[in-house]
Amino acid sequence: MLQIEAASDGTSSPITGLGFRVEGQAHQLFAVTPSSVTLFSLHDHPPRRQTLDQIGCETNAVAMSDRMDLIIGRPEAVYFYEVDGRGPCWAFDGEKKFVSWFRGYLLCIIEDQRSRRNTLNVYDLKNRLIAHSMPVGDVSHLVSEWGYIILIMSDKKILCIGEKDMESKLDMLFKKNLYTVAINLVQSQQADPASTAEVLRKYGDHLYGKQEYDEAMSQYIHTIGHLEPSYVIQKFLDAKRIYNLTNYLEKLHDRGLASKDHTTLLLNCYTKLKDVEKLNHFIKDEDGVGEIKFDVETAIRVCRAAGYHEHAMFVAKKAGRHELYLKILLEDLGRYDEALQYISSLEANQAGLTVKEYGKILVEHRPAETVEILLRLCTDSGDPMTRRGSNSMHLLMIPSPMDFVNIFVHSPKYLMEFLENYTKAVKDSPAQTEIHNTLLELYISKDLSFPSMSQENGFEEHNIKERKGKEVANGYKSGRREKGNLGKEDMNIAKDIVDRQRKGLALLKSAWTSEMEDPLYDVDLALIICNANAFKDGLLFLYEKLKLYKEVISCYKQAHDHEGLIACCKKLGDSSQGGDPSLWGDLLKYFSELGEDCSKEVKEVLTYIEKEDVLPPIVVLETLSKNPCLTLSVVKDYIARKLEQESKLIEEDRRSIDKYQDETELMKREIEDLKTNAKVFQLSKCTACTFTLDLPAVHFMCMHSFHLRCLGDNEKECPECAPEYRSVMEAKQKLEHNARDHDLFFRQLRGSKDGFSVIADYFSKGIVSKTAIPPENGR
């Protein structure tokens, strides 16, 4: 049982209204009398009573709001009560016949003290206005149900009052220019953001039309995210309203809804206003935390165009756009040392990419420092902690020096220095062949220029244009030079060519030693380079390594170097050292076609031709007869010696012929004797056992006799003569086999000094005299 505190005069007061308040597990009960407002906490045991106020109200003037606050109506005002006491008070004059709550509206039926008429007022407390007011008769009950306000009159009539839809309300408010009320209305009704934004837009348009631009912009800012930004931006593009536009664009970026064009426009606003402080705040005031809220490339482009290079560099560095950071340093500010320092601080792969893109500028202004950085990148000398695994795998991970060759297009001298230092530091580079190709072209070329032959990038024509009238970084000028410095400069150029070609020859030899099967460079390219630059020493070395001895001879012929020719033939034409003796024949032919007196050289050549027996005398005479400047005295001694040798050979051949004829005649007589006369066997002992020969015995035509028992099963051939006979038959079979082996015949023919003797030998053995006639088809 709950008891209300007695009135001040000690009498009890009737209960005029009750209201429950529930918050979680807390249950509370408001109790109203004409003289008090009491709160009971039902969750306490026993329930705790608390008097909130010493004033009350009459019956039907009590209600509960949707926030669970108690509402009481008194003649002077309407009071709200919370659990801790009296809350806000609304001074509505008049006696409150009925008080109720409907969808956030306070409903009061107030009796006018003068006219005694009742009026229904619907109060919008949030917007502080009377949403609706109408006179009513004598009301017996006020009910809020089913979405309507229901008035039950004393004369048994019922009056239903419905709320208009939101759109109708807003249209009415817009017509009365009550935009603030409209905004509060949609917010109180918890309308969707798009509807709220539309009301704000209309309010902004209204203010804009009244030229209240600051207030209009404050409304437009609330529409960000729902209203197309271009709608607002186009209204404030006038220079006089640039501050408002700047404010809007800043909020757009804060919400992360800005595009590249918005960033461009905002930065242009800052630069036109010369507001460095705001520009700093927009670009730099993020303490390096979080994601950048604008398009990086756009910001950099605008800042560069406006001359704010430091800001552009800050953005590029923070966004990790190393290429843009270096682009500003090099192209706009020309701070090459700082750019090199920045590249050195990057990771290897990033540093490599930036050097590829901006290496030409760096080489042009800081060549030595750039070469040093490249060497650290390609040899990884600056970061020993990255060396893991095998050495070959490590070399595959670091950049190749050939990736950076193109940045030296205007500075071949430093390219040569870079590759030289690299080859000293790295001995087993995967790009060793390409490096050597490039170095060879740099070394051997008379005009130190970019190696277009070894680089398939089409730089040759470009280099030719660049060399015309332009001083390149290798220290030379092409074109006209001052006459006073002409001789000295030519001497320096000639000395440089000699030094470089000396290095080129050393590289040719060191990269193709006698222990190597294949060279560490492209032989065909090396030949082209040497030939294009008339580098004789290089050509001679390559031709010799390739065993192109005739090409070696041609080099000396073109230079008319007779001593070199003979010395070369001595070295390359010695058959005992694996040389080609036929070179002497080519040399003799060269002197015969020379058309000048070269008796001394011809005599020396003839000495070696005679020693190696390269050419028959008749060929020598025919060859030398073509030179009208040579006399008989040149070949007299050679011919005399050859005739003497030939005479001796003829005499030996005659003696051999006589011997073979006598042996042949003897064989013929023996054969004839065997055919016509009986053979008398006079041996008395067995050839095998040497015992007295008795029957049965076997006699062979070779005059050997054997016991039959000594022969065993082999009684058809003489045991003594059989091995010799077999060897003869095997030799005959071998000759017949060789007759069918044409490759062997031609190999012997090519390898012999005297091909005729090979053919004669084949004829003498009866190999090529036999001709097999194939059978005719069908027979």
Side-chain angles (χ1 to χ4, degrees):
M1 179 177 177
L2 302 176
Q3 185 175 0
I4 299 174
E5 186 178 356
S8 58
D9 57 0
T11 61
S12 61
S13 300
I15 301 297
T16 57
L18 294 173
F20 279 98
R21 179 187 180 97
V22 180
E23 287 184 340
Q25 299 297 325
H27 293 72
Q28 296 167 321
L29 174 64
F30 291 101
V32 183
T33 67
S35 60
S36 66
V37 177
T38 304
L39 175 66
F40 293 94
S41 299
L42 304 180
H43 53 277
D44 294 334
H45 298 284
R48 181 170 57 87
R49 183 181 68 185
Q50 178 184 359
T51 302
L52 299 179
D53 205 347
Q54 294 297 329
I55 61 173
C57 65
E58 299 298 329
T59 307
N60 296 328
V62 179
M64 293 295 292
S65 71
D66 50 9
R67 295 179 57 189
M68 308 300 288
D69 293 339
L70 177 68
I71 307 170
I72 65 173
R74 292 178 58 82
E76 71 277 8
V78 175
Y79 299 93
F80 283 72
Y81 289 89
E82 299 177 357
V83 293
D84 53 353
R86 185 191 296 179
C89 172
W90 299 89
F92 303 142
D93 192 18
E95 184 180 355
K96 313 303 185 294
K97 293 288 188 179
F98 288 90
V99 174
S100 183
W101 188 265
F102 174 75
R103 292 183 178 180
Y105 298 102
L106 175 62
L107 308 180
C108 292
I109 296 179
I110 302 175
E111 182 181 22
D112 189 353
Q113 295 179 358
R114 295 179 182 179
S115 61
R116 312 304 295 179
R117 292 182 179 178
N118 296 331
T119 303
L120 172 63
N121 289 335
V122 180
Y123 296 100
D124 185 349
L125 301 180
K126 183 176 182 181
N127 297 314
R128 298 177 180 272
L129 57 83
I130 300 176
H132 183 68
S133 179
M134 61 178 293
V136 294
D138 189 11
V139 179
S140 61
H141 292 87
L142 173 61
V143 182
S144 301
E145 282 296 341
W146 306 302
Y148 291 97
I149 301 172
I150 302 173
L151 300 179
I152 302 176
M153 314 304 290
S154 299
D155 56 1
K156 308 304 181 181
K157 292 183 179 179
I158 297 177
L159 178 62
C160 291
I161 302 173
E163 185 180 8
K164 290 185 177 180
D165 60 89
M166 180 66 71
E167 186 175 356
S168 301
K169 292 180 184 179
L170 293 176
D171 288 340
M172 182 182 65
L173 293 173
F174 292 153
K175 291 176 181 179
K176 296 180 179 181
N177 292 331
L178 298 176
Y179 291 97
T180 305
V181 177
I183 293 171
N184 293 333
L185 178 62
V186 295
Q187 291 176 349
S188 64
Q189 297 294 325
Q190 298 180 349
D192 61 277
S195 301
T196 305
E198 179 64 18
V199 176
L200 292 169
R201 180 193 67 80
K202 290 184 177 182
Y203 187 30
D205 292 345
H206 172 71
L207 294 172
Y208 184 86
K210 295 169 61 177
Q211 298 185 354
E212 296 177 6
Y213 300 117
D214 295 340
E215 293 78 3
M217 179 54 73
S218 65
Q219 301 304 318
Y220 287 134
I221 288 173
H222 292 303
T223 66
I224 292 176
H226 304 284
L227 180 63
E228 178 63 35
S230 60
Y231 177 85
V232 179
I233 292 172
Q234 67 180 357
K235 291 177 175 291
F236 291 87
L237 287 177
D238 194 325
K240 297 178 181 179
R241 295 188 282 275
I242 191 171
Y243 292 98
N244 300 119
L245 178 59
T246 303
N247 186 24
Y248 180 80
L249 292 171
E250 286 173 346
K251 300 299 182 182
L252 204 61
H253 281 81
D254 290 341
R255 304 277 182 87
L257 300 174
S259 66
K260 296 180 180 180
D261 295 331
H262 299 148
T263 302
T264 304
L265 189 56
L266 178 58
L267 292 174
N268 282 327
C269 290
Y270 287 150
T271 55
K272 287 182 180 180
L273 293 172
K274 299 188 182 302
D275 194 342
V276 180
E277 183 179 353
K278 281 195 173 183
L279 185 60
N280 289 338
H281 177 77
F282 179 73
I283 289 179
K284 298 183 178 181
D285 193 19
E286 294 185 16
D287 298 329
V289 181
E291 186 179 355
I292 296 178
K293 298 179 181 179
F294 50 82
D295 184 72
V296 173
E297 292 188 7
T298 302
I300 294 173
R301 175 173 50 80
V302 175
C303 289
R304 287 183 67 194
Y308 291 92
H309 298 109
E310 295 296 333
H311 295 80
M313 288 168 56
F314 179 86
V315 175
K317 188 172 185 179
K318 184 173 182 180
R321 300 297 297 272
H322 309 298
E323 71 284 0
L324 295 177
Y325 185 87
L326 289 170
K327 189 179 184 71
I328 300 166
L329 276 178
L330 296 173
E331 296 182 2
D332 297 338
L333 303 177
R335 285 147 59 173
Y336 307 109
D337 295 329
E338 186 177 345
L340 289 168
Q341 185 177 1
Y342 183 77
I343 291 174
S344 301
S345 67
L346 298 177
E347 295 181 358
N349 58 341
Q350 287 291 340
L353 293 174
T354 53
V355 172
K356 286 180 186 178
E357 187 167 357
Y358 299 105
K360 292 180 184 178
I361 301 176
L362 292 172
V363 170
E364 183 179 356
H365 295 89
R366 297 291 186 274
E369 294 82 353
T370 306
V371 169
E372 184 180 351
I373 286 179
L374 287 176
L375 285 173
R376 288 203 302 268
L377 281 175
C378 296
T379 60
D380 205 15
S381 58
D383 190 8
M385 295 301 293
T386 60
R387 295 181 179 272
R388 300 187 181 98
S390 65
N391 189 41
S392 59
M393 180 61 68
H394 169 72
L395 288 174
L396 291 174
M397 294 172 62
I398 63 177
S400 169
M402 299 309 296
D403 297 338
F404 306 100
V405 168
N406 293 340
I407 71 175
F408 295 94
V409 63
H410 302 314
S411 306
K413 177 181 178 181
Y414 290 100
L415 172 60
M416 184 169 65
E417 178 184 339
F418 167 52
L419 294 180
E420 285 176 347
N421 292 329
Y422 177 81
T423 53
K424 291 177 184 177
V426 181
K427 302 298 183 183
D428 52 351
S429 172
Q432 198 168 35
T433 300
E434 292 81 358
I435 294 172
H436 287 162
N437 291 341
T438 306
L439 278 174
L440 284 175
E441 188 168 355
L442 290 168
Y443 286 151
I444 298 173
S445 299
K446 292 183 178 179
D447 182 13
L448 182 57
S449 59
F450 187 76
S452 57
M453 291 186 184
S454 56
Q455 306 301 315
E456 300 178 355
N457 291 328
F459 284 101
E460 184 173 2
E461 182 179 354
H462 176 72
N463 290 338
I464 293 173
K465 294 179 180 179
E466 291 289 336
R467 289 197 298 267
K468 291 182 179 180
K470 179 179 180 180
E471 183 175 4
V472 294
N474 58 15
Y476 301 146
K477 282 184 180 181
S478 59
R480 298 183 179 179
R481 296 188 289 266
E482 296 181 5
K483 293 183 178 180
N485 298 328
L486 183 61
K488 185 177 180 180
E489 187 175 352
D490 285 343
M491 290 177 60
N492 292 335
I493 292 175
K495 183 178 181 300
D496 180 73
I497 292 173
V498 172
D499 292 341
R500 285 190 287 107
Q501 291 189 345
R502 177 175 50 79
K503 291 182 181 179
L505 183 60
L507 178 59
L508 286 172
K509 293 181 178 179
S510 63
W512 196 0
T513 60
S514 56
E515 293 82 10
M516 297 179 182
E517 183 177 355
D518 296 315
L520 299 177
Y521 51 81
D522 188 337
V523 178
D524 295 333
L525 178 63
L527 285 171
I528 293 172
I529 295 172
C530 292
N531 192 41
N533 294 276
F535 184 41
K536 177 183 172 183
D537 294 341
L539 284 172
L540 293 176
F541 172 77
L542 292 172
Y543 287 149
E544 185 175 342
K545 293 293 289 185
L546 294 170
K547 299 188 182 302
L548 300 175
Y549 300 139
K550 295 186 183 298
E551 299 298 332
V552 177
I553 297 299
S554 297
C555 289
Y556 286 104
K557 289 178 182 178
Q558 293 175 3
H560 296 284
D561 185 0
H562 296 172
E563 293 183 2
L565 268 172
I566 295 174
C568 178
C569 284
K570 289 179 182 179
K571 178 181 178 182
L572 304 179
D574 189 355
S575 59
S576 62
Q577 301 295 329
D580 184 5
S582 65
L583 296 177
W584 291 107
D586 296 336
L587 187 55
L588 184 68
K589 184 178 179 181
Y590 165 73
F591 285 125
S592 68
E593 297 174 351
L594 194 59
E596 60 183 46
D597 188 6
C598 49
S599 302
K600 179 182 177 182
E601 291 84 356
V602 171
K603 287 181 180 180
E604 189 172 359
V605 172
L606 288 176
T607 301
Y608 287 96
I609 288 178
E610 182 180 1
K611 177 182 177 181
E612 298 288 343
D613 196 17
V614 178
L615 296 173
I618 187 66
V619 176
V620 173
L621 291 176
E622 288 179 357
T623 303
L624 294 177
S625 64
K626 299 177 181 178
N627 191 340
C629 298
L630 296 177
T631 61
L632 185 60
S633 60
V634 177
V635 296
K636 182 176 69 173
D637 295 339
Y638 168 75
I639 294 299
R641 290 192 298 272
K642 277 297 186 180
L643 288 175
E644 184 179 356
Q645 292 177 6
E646 292 294 336
S647 299
K648 291 179 180 180
L649 290 174
I650 291 172
E651 185 63 28
E652 290 177 1
D653 290 342
R654 284 177 178 173
R655 286 196 295 270
S656 298
I657 290 171
D658 292 342
K659 177 184 175 182
Y660 291 149
Q661 285 180 345
D662 293 342
E663 291 177 354
T664 303
E665 188 63 29
L666 179 62
M667 290 180 183
K668 287 181 178 180
R669 286 199 297 271
E670 289 180 356
I671 292 172
E672 184 64 25
D673 183 55
L674 290 173
K675 288 181 178 180
T676 57
N677 299 323
K679 195 71 173 177
V680 179
F681 299 98
Q682 298 179 350
L683 289 177
S684 59
K685 293 183 178 181
C686 176
T687 304
C689 62
T690 68
F691 288 107
T692 304
L693 195 65
D694 55 4
L695 298 176
V698 178
H699 303 279
F700 291 97
M701 297 302 290
C702 60
M703 304 306 295
H704 292 143
S705 300
F706 300 90
H707 291 114
L708 181 62
R709 62 179 179 274
C710 291
L711 291 177
D713 297 334
N714 188 14
E715 59 182 25
K716 293 186 178 181
E717 59 180 2
C718 174
E720 293 292 325
C721 300
E724 182 179 359
Y725 175 74
R726 288 196 195 98
S727 63
V728 173
M729 293 304 295
E730 289 176 358
K732 182 179 178 182
Q733 292 175 357
K734 184 177 180 181
L735 290 174
E736 291 177 352
H737 178 267
N738 290 342
R740 295 189 293 271
D741 189 352
H742 303 295
D743 293 336
L744 176 63
F745 170 73
F746 287 109
R747 281 199 302 272
Q748 292 180 356
L749 188 62
R750 286 191 295 267
S752 175
K753 297 179 181 178
D754 186 4
F756 180 78
S757 62
V758 175
I759 298 174
D761 184 57
Y762 267 72
F763 271 104
S764 67
K765 294 175 182 177
I767 295 177
V768 297
S769 59
K770 297 180 181 180
T771 304
I773 302 175
E776 296 183 6
N777 295 333
R779 294 186 182 181

